[in-house]
Amino acid sequence: MAASVGRGPPGSATARIPEIDPSEAHRAMTTDNPHTDVLLFFNPAEARELDALVDRIIPGEPGSPGASEAGVLRYIDQGLAGFLRDLQTTYRRGLLELGELARRSGRGRFADLDIPTRERIVADLDRIGREDPDDFTGQFFRIVREHTVQGFFGDPAYGGNTDLAGWRLVGFPGAQWSYTPDQMQPGFDASRIPMFTVSDLYRRLGDHR
Amino acid sequence: MTQQFDAIIVGLGSAGGIMAEQLTKAGLRVLGLEKGPEYTDDDFAVKQDELRYYQRGAIVAGVSVDPVTWRPDDRATARVLPWSAGVLGTDEPLYGLPSIGTGGGTLHWGCAAYRFREADFRMRSAIAERFGEGALPEGSTLADWPIGYGDLEPYYERVEQEQGISGRAGNIGGVLQEGGNPFDPPHARDYPMPPVAQGPGDPPFVRATQRLGLHPFRQPLALNSTEYRGRPACVNCGFCHGYPCHVRAKSTTQVTSVPAAKATGNLDLRPHSRVLRIHRTADGTQVRGVTYVDGSGRAHRVEAPIVILTAYALENVRLLLVSGINGNGQVGHHFMTHNFGWFTSILPEATNPFMGTFNASSAVDDYTSELVPDNDLGVLWGSPIISVTGDLQPIEAYHNMDPRVRRWGLDLKHWMRDNYRHMHRMYSQTTNFPYPRHYCDLDPTVKDRWGQPALRITHDWEDHDANSVTLFGRYKERIAHEMGARAYWMDSPRPPYHLSTHDVGVHRMGEDPATSVTDVHGELHECRGLYAVGGGQFVSYGGYNPNQTVQALAYLSAEELLRRTGAGALRPATAGTVA
């Protein structure tokens, strides 16, 4: 996990960090280990189900990563082990409901269904979430969708937005210290602005962490 | 032994920071009790993090600490508002209370620094004169303020000079100024700094409103456009509204008044100190001090002949009520809040909405306050229409997305890809009239972690509120058409929120002790030495952001307080009296 970078005791952790060109810092932080090989909350079966769900909320396409490739599962898993811990039961129970819907739609688990079947289930969840604000399953879907968007577009420090997939998709330059008067001109092509993350800004400030 | 001070200030935010500076400079020994942290520049060195600040509300209090409940009417059971990431992490909009910690709401605000207009202080009379007494909203407790614009003008100017405001006054001494707002009330002089760099998405709004015959002007902002009083100019980072400032360019009392108060040596500032109760003499007519808990949970009793509540309108009310201070039943009444009427457009040109601050943009005042056009919806009071061009990060953009588009799958993904960089927003702040059915009291069941009752808001949008949003939606629609918007949509006229950082009126000022809570200078009618200062004192509520008036009232109250205690003699008095 990326968590091994710069988080351990000063001596041991720094020894494992390769030399990094500061302008490439966000790449090092996020491409080191993009796989969700450690789970802090979910069990592997739950993780697989949730990954398949977020993959339908923001799907990947050729050349354009979706929520699954961007590590949204990791964002949610890490969140549930920390800031979002009050939602642990909501997720556990929600995934059981998702499994139930999958069983009724075909065979096996949600992650095993073909894409059209999964999309039919997501369309149902979306409809329920809009029509009945008190329905648990609909509420669960709304929460997952919210967290999918957060993990896809939030700073990669939170475990998602791998390779800045979310920011590249929409053209958001990320954690900028400032914009120059030139860049503020109408019509400026913002894709020319190098993207930065919170981690990059800390590095630019020097060793102040 | 109980510690004694000359004055205790509860909340070192927008108004409290100013009061602390004024009192300590006059030589008073002041205890400042702040329930949040005492922030330093190090706290905000890197703050460009949408999840931390905007989505998770890192510097506002959460529901577990400061629960506020809401219900639409007396018959309903109130529920805890889901603000600050919510009890269930819901996707309901985050409408939080102001930030806590030194600086308070001015840490995270969007810096809109509007003066109220002359007519805003006499809304009741102005409506009656134009539309007739019969047009006044039935059952409303709408009243004129006991002070007028002229009384507050010198204090507005002090805010502008001392806190640092950028902009272009449109009316100096009655003479209209090129490039300013032609509907401005008269200013004695211009703002100390020119407007900040214009957001790249603002020019289409300016051109469109000009073609429509309106008069766009650059908004006055509490944000440095040049170096001012040792603080640098804004660097346009685009993480401003909802975020603290990383370069000290934002005018927050955290970098203006609080350090100035500390420099006097007369401020004993205690962060993580939450006031539980206000103490009075046995007959209740004179304040004696407060009890607070410190960060380790230990209670302390401290005494002073002056106690100033500057903890935000709603928390001021909660402290008064839990302390049993509500002799005439007026505390918590006359609740008013803004309905923002959010309107989003997709423009043909790129707007780069992540650059610069929220309000680095223009507004039109052609339909504001008493200038509201005759209309078929019965709308009696107008609002500015404000262009919003900066501070839009992707998660917030998702929250603003076109409601007609499916919110999952490639529809969601492609919508964000194709529209984010073309988004432009507008809002208005339509007036709320006060009614007896809109009020705050103590929740009978929900408690905070110290066992004290949560504040409960009983409020629903009235027909006039909804009609105002609808009317202003028409004007915005016209502007959006003129901007050539590819698509546009607007918020519901009865939005789901009932609280923001714009809640006012709940400890109303007035001359009659039977119908108001404080006098003009914030002192409670029923308790000598006890002050409640800020938006809670507002008598009516027009379309402008409240903070400039909150801070003007703080300067006014500090000056009068010093005069009453005799301490004002220590410093030169400002000319001008207040009715």
Side-chain angles (χ1 to χ4, degrees):
Chain A
M1 294 290 294
S4 67
V5 178
R7 289 287 187 196
S12 61
T14 45
R16 292 202 300 274
I17 299 177
E19 285 298 312
I20 295 167
D21 174 355
S23 69
E24 298 287 306
H26 57 259
R27 288 174 178 277
M29 283 293 287
T30 55
T31 57
D32 248 8
N33 192 344
H35 307 291
T36 308
D37 53 358
V38 173
L39 290 166
L40 303 181
F41 169 69
F42 291 117
N43 69 39
E46 288 169 330
R48 193 162 158 269
E49 289 286 87
L50 183 62
D51 201 35
L53 178 58
V54 303
D55 175 60
R56 284 305 97 196
I57 294 173
I58 302 180
E61 303 159 274
S64 171
S68 176
E69 297 93 327
V72 163
L73 170 63
R74 179 168 41 188
Y75 167 76
I76 297 175
D77 181 61
Q78 292 182 359
L80 288 168
F83 186 81
L84 302 172
R85 64 174 299 157
D86 287 352
L87 293 169
Q88 288 182 353
T89 304
T90 303
Y91 266 89
R92 284 238 148 97
R93 191 179 148 206
L95 289 171
L96 290 174
E97 303 269 343
L98 185 68
E100 187 54 39
L101 289 174
R103 266 188 295 281
R104 269 187 250 149
S105 304
R107 52 183 165 65
R109 295 169 177 272
F110 180 77
D112 297 323
L113 301 174
D114 59 24
I115 285 178
T117 312
R118 276 194 270 157
E119 290 192 333
R120 272 200 298 279
I121 292 175
V122 171
D124 272 351
L125 292 171
D126 178 47
R127 182 182 48 76
I128 295 165
R130 277 181 284 116
E131 288 174 359
D132 182 0
D134 296 323
D135 180 273
F136 171 79
T137 313
Q139 199 175 35
F140 168 67
F141 176 73
R142 296 199 339 249
I143 290 170
V144 175
R145 174 169 54 192
E146 186 70 19
H147 291 162
T148 301
V149 169
Q150 289 180 3
F152 192 69
F153 291 115
D155 193 277
Y158 292 82
N161 198 3
T162 303
D163 280 332
L164 311 188
W167 295 352
R168 289 184 206 282
L169 174 75
V170 300
F172 175 60
Q176 298 289 320
W177 184 264
S178 59
Y179 290 104
T180 65
D182 242 17
Q183 294 168 335
M184 288 279 282
Q185 289 304 310
F188 183 85
D189 177 9
S191 68
R192 288 159 49 200
I193 301 172
M195 291 181 180
F196 288 113
T197 65
V198 164
S199 166
D200 296 330
L201 291 188
Y202 273 113
R203 279 161 197 252
R204 290 172 113 202
L205 282 178
D207 191 18
H208 290 308
R209 268 200 287 188
Chain B
M1 203 184 108
T2 308
Q3 278 190 292
Q4 299 273 347
F5 296 87
D6 293 331
I8 297 168
I9 298 180
V10 182
L12 273 291
S14 172
I18 286 172
M19 301 280 296
E21 179 182 2
Q22 298 305 308
L23 269 51
T24 54
K25 280 185 169 169
L28 266 59
R29 290 181 314 109
V30 173
L31 174 65
L33 297 174
E34 168 54 53
K35 71 181 173 184
E38 180 184 0
Y39 286 119
T40 68
D41 294 348
D42 275 352
D43 286 305
F44 307 135
V46 175
K47 53 70 195 256
Q48 288 86 342
D49 182 343
E50 184 179 15
L51 282 173
R52 179 172 177 172
Y53 290 102
Y54 214 85
Q55 303 304 327
R56 295 183 175 182
I59 52 175
V60 303
V63 279
S64 61
V65 179
D66 286 277
V68 176
T69 67
W70 168 81
R71 58 181 184 167
D73 58 64
D74 278 342
R75 296 178 304 280
T77 302
R79 65 182 177 106
V80 175
L81 285 164
W83 48 279
S84 306
V87 274
L88 246 185
T90 69
D91 57 358
E92 292 190 51
L94 191 152
Y95 280 89
L97 293 173
S99 306
I100 60 171
T102 46
T106 58
L107 284 172
H108 82 279
W109 67 319
C111 307
Y114 285 97
R115 298 176 173 202
F116 289 176
R117 298 169 58 72
E118 291 113 317
D120 289 318
F121 294 90
R122 48 188 304 281
M123 188 187 285
R124 190 187 189 285
S125 298
I127 290 173
E129 285 158 15
R130 175 167 168 192
F131 298 102
E133 287 275 337
L136 287 165
E138 200 181 333
S140 170
T141 56
L142 179 63
D144 290 345
W145 291 46
I147 52 174
Y149 175 79
D151 298 315
L152 217 46
E153 202 278 335
Y155 303 94
Y156 279 136
E157 191 179 322
R158 275 187 80 179
V159 179
E160 287 154 11
Q161 300 296 326
E162 296 194 23
Q163 301 295 316
I165 309 290
S166 62
R168 180 90 172 98
N171 176 341
I172 299 177
V175 181
L176 291 189
Q177 305 293 308
E178 188 73 31
N181 174 11
F183 305 106
D184 246 356
H187 294 231
R189 55 176 160 157
D190 205 351
Y191 295 102
M193 291 173 279
V196 300
Q198 187 178 28
D202 194 45
F205 174 88
V206 172
R207 290 192 297 267
T209 49
Q210 279 171 339
R211 284 195 299 270
L212 290 169
L214 305 176
H215 300 83
F217 61 93
R218 294 297 310 285
Q219 297 192 75
L221 293 189
L223 183 62
N224 288 358
S225 58
T226 59
E227 189 181 326
Y228 190 71
R229 298 199 170 184
R231 294 187 293 114
C234 171
V235 295
N236 313 308
C237 73
F239 291 85
C240 189
H241 177 251
Y243 299 83
C245 185
H246 62 317
V247 297
R248 307 170 82 244
K250 189 189 281 193
S251 299
T252 160
T253 59
Q254 189 239 337
V255 298
T256 57
S257 293
V258 174
K262 284 179 72 179
T264 65
N266 289 328
L267 177 65
D268 183 343
L269 173 55
R270 300 185 188 172
H272 310 297
S273 297
R274 186 188 186 87
V275 172
L276 297 180
R277 194 172 182 84
I278 302 154
H279 302 294
R280 294 175 290 167
T281 51
D283 65 0
T285 59
Q286 164 69 48
V287 76
R288 292 193 56 187
V290 303
T291 294
Y292 73 94
V293 282
D294 65 22
S296 64
R298 216 171 29 199
H300 305 263
R301 184 166 173 154
V302 283
E303 296 200 335
I306 295 164
V307 171
I308 301 163
L309 307 180
T310 43
Y312 190 56
L314 301 185
E315 182 66 2
N316 285 355
V317 161
R318 205 188 63 83
L319 285 170
L320 291 171
L321 294 178
V322 297
S323 304
I325 302 171
N326 187 14
N328 62 5
Q330 290 286 307
V331 175
H333 282 248
H334 316 292
F335 175 86
M336 297 174 282
T337 191
H338 275 145
N339 185 330
F340 297 101
W342 283 104
F343 188 109
T344 307
S345 306
I346 303 301
L347 300 188
E349 56 270 75
T351 56
N352 291 342
F354 39 81
M355 290 181 181
T357 185
F358 193 76
N359 282 312
S361 54
S362 303
V364 290
D365 253 347
D366 299 70
Y367 308 129
T368 206
S369 300
E370 82 283 10
L371 304 176
V372 64
D374 287 334
N375 61 84
D376 58 339
L377 291 169
V379 174
L380 303 169
W381 207 253
S383 159
I385 295 175
I386 297 171
S387 157
V388 174
T389 59
D391 266 349
L392 185 66
Q393 300 92 28
I395 302 170
E396 190 56 15
Y398 159 78
H399 289 149
N400 277 304
M401 80 182 264
D402 191 333
R404 294 160 295 203
V405 175
R406 202 175 68 163
R407 272 184 191 233
W408 62 274
L410 290 177
D411 291 2
L412 160 60
K413 188 183 180 191
H414 291 171
W415 190 90
M416 286 293 292
R417 180 191 68 193
D418 298 337
N419 294 286
Y420 170 57
R421 277 173 301 164
H422 294 262
M423 290 172 79
H424 176 274
R425 292 173 290 165
M426 288 183 269
Y427 73 105
S428 47
Q429 300 176 130
T430 43
T431 202
N432 249 207
F433 299 118
Y435 289 94
R437 57 185 174 272
H438 300 165
Y439 62 96
C440 303
D441 63 357
L442 298 176
D443 194 284
T445 53
V446 179
K447 304 264 193 286
D448 66 20
R449 65 171 60 158
W450 297 272
Q452 293 203 317
L455 191 81
R456 177 173 67 178
I457 297 171
T458 303
H459 172 262
D460 209 356
W461 301 112
E462 299 285 333
D463 290 343
H464 186 272
D465 305 329
N467 288 341
S468 300
V469 175
T470 301
L471 178 67
F472 278 75
R474 291 179 190 164
Y475 302 144
K476 291 168 199 157
E477 203 170 359
R478 212 172 292 157
I479 295 169
H481 268 293
E482 192 63 33
M483 290 195 295
R486 296 199 301 243
Y488 59 81
W489 56 96
M490 57 188 108
D491 214 354
S492 159
R494 297 176 188 273
Y497 56 83
H498 296 271
L499 163 153
S500 66
T501 52
H502 289 217
D503 315 310
V504 301
V506 282
H507 51 83
R508 175 183 268 198
M509 67 154 85
E511 285 163 344
D512 180 358
T515 58
S516 59
V517 177
T518 79
D519 67 13
V520 167
H521 306 99
E523 190 170 27
L524 265 76
H525 294 302
E526 68 181 285
C527 184
R528 259 195 334 275
L530 179 58
Y531 289 75
V533 176
Q537 293 176 269
F538 291 9
V539 180
S540 64
Y541 205 20
Y544 296 107
N545 305 63
N547 194 58
Q548 186 81 349
T549 302
V550 167
Q551 294 195 322
L553 290 174
Y555 280 109
L556 171 72
S557 294
E559 187 177 282
E560 174 65 11
L561 188 155
L562 291 170
R563 194 190 62 72
R564 287 177 189 176
T565 59
L570 295 172
R571 59 192 304 283
T574 304
T577 53
V578 170

